[in-house]
Amino acid sequence: MAADTTPPRSLAVPLAGFAVGAVVALLVGVFGKVHDPTLAGTTTLGFRTVIDMKVVLSVVVGVLAVLQAIGALWLYGKLGAGAPPWLGTAHRVSGTVALLLTLVIAYHCLWALGLETGRFADGEPVPARTVVHGVLGCAVLGTIVVKVVAVRSRRAPGWFLPVAGGLLFTLLVSAVLTSAVWYIGTHGWPGAGGYG
């Protein structure tokens, strides 16, 4: 009889992942709150404005998040059809692209805009949507840490990866809805003659 080489499952892995993710989200939020927002050190990647770039990249991230969810369900056999051999590689590549784009967006959100709460410098109240979006963005960054722990750990319980992935999907889609989708609904597609 062959020896079982599977490492024992441990609840410590998801607990540590969630704890580290929460600390990351909190630190990002603190930085966003105390940092003096500036457009210096940012780029538009060829778009007209930083906001235009963030809107377009956020839409791309939203589409990739939906494809990631579908790919994960397919890989786990939840769609009723066997997954093609190339799907695992496509899932990892599209996940990496989504992660990199999310980090570009987050950098520009935090550096250029900060985490706004209370009132703006001109005395106007910060809209609830802006506050919710900022908190969601911080939570997304913390949840990325949780998801990376879930993907890399061989000792985590079987439920940890789907929970981490589902949480990241939910937060990412919510962040996109409170930013890019709201912007497009209010101002139109970036560069299409709307607000700039």
Side-chain angles (χ1 to χ4, degrees):
M1 182 169 235
D4 185 9
T5 59
T6 305
R9 303 295 182 184
S10 172
L11 192 57
V13 174
L15 291 176
F18 282 118
V20 172
V23 168
V24 167
L26 181 64
L27 291 175
V28 166
V30 168
F31 172 81
K33 194 69 184 135
V34 300
H35 169 68
D36 188 21
T38 175
L39 288 175
T42 60
T43 181
T44 63
L45 296 177
F47 290 93
R48 192 171 41 125
T49 66
V50 169
I51 299 294
D52 286 357
M53 176 198 64
K54 288 176 48 207
V55 168
V56 172
L57 293 183
S58 294
V59 168
V60 172
V61 167
V63 169
L64 288 172
V66 170
L67 292 174
Q68 282 287 293
I70 292 168
L73 290 170
W74 203 354
L75 286 168
Y76 278 98
K78 303 297 184 188
L79 297 183
W86 52 264
L87 185 60
T89 301
H91 186 73
R92 284 188 295 281
V93 169
S94 65
T96 301
V97 170
L99 170 65
L100 293 174
L101 291 177
T102 298
L103 293 176
V104 168
I105 296 163
Y107 165 77
H108 285 83
C109 283
L110 287 166
W111 192 259
L113 305 172
L115 178 60
E116 299 288 352
T117 60
R119 296 191 173 275
F120 289 116
D122 64 3
E124 286 291 315
V126 176
R129 180 204 59 83
T130 302
V131 175
V132 168
H133 174 70
V135 171
L136 285 169
C138 295
V140 163
L141 293 176
T143 306
I144 287 171
V145 172
V146 175
K147 176 77 184 317
V148 168
V149 169
V151 166
R152 295 292 177 197
S153 175
R154 295 183 181 270
R155 297 188 59 220
W159 58 263
F160 184 40
L161 181 57
V163 167
L167 181 60
L168 182 56
F169 172 79
T170 301
L171 292 171
L172 262 177
V173 168
S174 298
V176 170
L177 288 172
T178 57
S179 61
V181 173
W182 169 84
Y183 181 95
I184 292 166
T186 305
H187 304 293
W189 186 258
Y195 175 77

